[in-house]
Amino acid sequence: DGGITQSPKYLFRKEGQNVTLSCEQNLNHDAMYWYRQDPGQGLRLIYYSQIVNDFQKGDIAEGYSVSREKKESFPLTVTSAQKNPTAFYLCASSIGTVGTEAFFGQGTRLTVV
Amino acid sequence: KQEVTQIPAALSVPEGENLVLNCSFTDSAIYNLQWFRQDPGKGLTSLLLIQSSQREQTSGRLNASLDKSSGRSTLYIAASQPGDSATYLCAVEGGGSNYKLTFGKGTLLTVNP
């Protein structure tokens, strides 16, 4: 089945730790995105990538880093510099041209303990 | 900066009722508008995509309309069922934000048996 796989589903982070969220897609999409969802707020864009080896900051990139070494993979690292990392993280992909449909994974819930 | 508003924030209806969810956006220079469904703790499922040149799209009991000039979209759900209970999110691409979606905060729909 084609789709977007995010792992793990739940992740716990201690203060001062970096953690990496995985996102893999087998839709052959060029563009991939990371969004953050907080209660009572709309989804906010963290980073996006339109092509391999290239990515751009979104609206809330501070404290996060990404890489795009393969077309199918777009991992997100939440660094210790992110002051409030507890949230639901969603990965998405699209064909990559403007105006095309976006598809989402099932999300990773990150909690700081 | 594009802003998306969804009204109402929550809606409770009896099974079988027809209902309308509303979405408005501030910048009409959009490429498309997409409606999503989100179940608790899950990712987003794409329901309908309306290109900027289109007026409406239909899928089963769902019909979405777009009035780009007035910055409005509606999602019509016919003969609602308890399984329709979820949060419905509206998102637009464009209006100063190419290649990314700007989301509303969603409408939480409850359909009572």
Side-chain angles (χ1 to χ4, degrees), chain A residues 9 33 35 37 40-43 45 48 50 59 88 90 96-102 104-106 109, chain B residues 31-32 34 36 38 41-49 51 89 93 98-105:
Chain A
K9 186 173 181 180
Y33 312 81
Y35 289 86
Q37 186 176 35
Q41 297 198 36
L43 276 72
L45 183 67
Y48 66 102
Q50 294 172 246
D59 299 321
F88 192 50
L90 289 156
T97 53
V98 169
T100 55
E101 189 172 9
F104 281 76
Q106 287 300 301
R109 183 163 300 281
Chain B
Y31 295 107
N32 67 33
Q34 202 165 348
F36 295 90
Q38 186 176 30
K42 303 292 186 181
L44 276 60
T45 300
S46 179
L47 297 174
L48 290 164
L49 171 73
Q51 301 290 353
L89 295 163
E93 180 183 358
N98 293 354
Y99 298 104
K100 72 167 189 176
L101 294 171
T102 302
F103 282 84
K105 295 181 180 180

Side-chain angles (χ1 to χ4, degrees), chain B:
Chain B
K1 179 185 173 185
Q2 179 75 272
E3 293 182 2
V4 178
T5 302
Q6 291 188 245
I7 294 174
L11 180 64
S12 181
V13 301
E15 183 177 1
E17 195 162 292
N18 302 327
L19 59 100
V20 174
L21 307 181
N22 296 292
C23 173
S24 62
F25 45 94
T26 54
D27 191 326
S28 62
I30 64 169
Y31 295 107
N32 67 33
L33 183 144
Q34 202 165 348
W35 282 95
F36 295 90
R37 169 187 172 134
Q38 186 176 30
D39 293 295
K42 303 292 186 181
L44 276 60
T45 300
S46 179
L47 297 174
L48 290 164
L49 171 73
I50 310 178
Q51 301 290 353
S52 61
S53 59
Q54 298 174 319
R55 296 284 293 183
E56 66 178 330
Q57 282 285 349
T58 298
S59 175
R61 294 183 293 108
L62 304 179
N63 176 277
S65 68
L66 174 64
D67 184 342
K68 200 174 85 161
S69 61
S70 69
R72 295 177 187 276
S73 175
T74 61
L75 179 66
Y76 174 83
I77 302 177
S80 59
Q81 303 170 358
D84 294 330
S85 298
T87 297
Y88 290 80
L89 295 163
C90 165
V92 297
E93 180 183 358
S97 56
N98 293 354
Y99 298 104
K100 72 167 189 176
L101 294 171
T102 302
F103 282 84
K105 295 181 180 180
T107 294
L108 175 61
L109 173 65
T110 303
V111 181
N112 301 300

